[in-house]
Amino acid sequence: MKGLFIVNDPPYGTERVYNALRLAHAFVKKDPSMQVTVFLMADAVLAGKANQKTPDGYYNVERMLKRVLSSRGAVLLCGTCMDARGIGDAELIEGARRSTMDELAGATIEADKVLVF
């Protein structure tokens, strides 16, 4: 089964990114064969930046995205959204990559479940 998580909100300030990534991880825990793709767009592309430093005891979306990647998932970022926010490819966490709306359209067509946060 393929699950696609489309995330729009900033990584901190609301809990939508946090909850999307918690659910993505729960999907993989429940069904290890599940293929999860997280597509970050709008302000959510900031979640894909490497070297995030959060206070002790506070969730860290970089670590959460790395859990998606370590479970054979994909983390894709809208390239147009990255450009609008001045984020370069070299700033992304290892394994995350720039993507396009065409790739998102294809992932949406292929997905069995699509969740939008």
Side-chain angles (χ1 to χ4, degrees):
M1 180 172 290
K2 292 183 180 185
L4 172 62
F5 292 76
I6 302 172
V7 187
N8 291 280
D9 275 13
Y12 304 101
T14 75
E15 291 187 353
R16 287 191 178 116
V17 174
Y18 171 69
N19 287 324
L21 296 177
R22 286 177 54 217
L23 183 56
H25 181 67
F27 269 33
V28 173
K29 253 176 77 173
K30 192 83 169 161
D31 180 1
S33 68
M34 178 88 164
Q35 293 179 317
V36 170
T37 298
V38 175
F39 192 94
L40 305 172
M41 58 191 315
D43 282 343
V45 296
L46 297 168
K49 285 193 70 159
N51 303 313
Q52 296 175 33
K53 293 178 181 32
T54 53
D56 288 338
Y58 197 73
Y59 67 88
N60 181 294
V61 296
E62 178 181 2
R63 282 194 297 265
M64 295 177 82
L65 285 169
K66 286 179 179 179
R67 282 177 37 183
V68 169
L69 291 165
S70 71
S71 61
R72 299 176 329 275
V75 176
L76 308 176
L77 288 82
C78 169
T80 303
C81 303
M82 287 174 59
D83 293 342
R85 289 154 184 83
I87 300 172
D89 294 354
E91 298 175 74
L92 300 180
I93 63 173
E94 186 176 340
R97 67 175 175 79
R98 173 184 293 267
S99 186
T100 64
M101 292 305 286
D102 285 343
E103 189 170 12
L104 175 58
T108 303
I109 290 166
E110 292 176 10
D112 299 299
K113 304 234 182 265
V114 178
L115 296 103
V116 181
F117 287 82

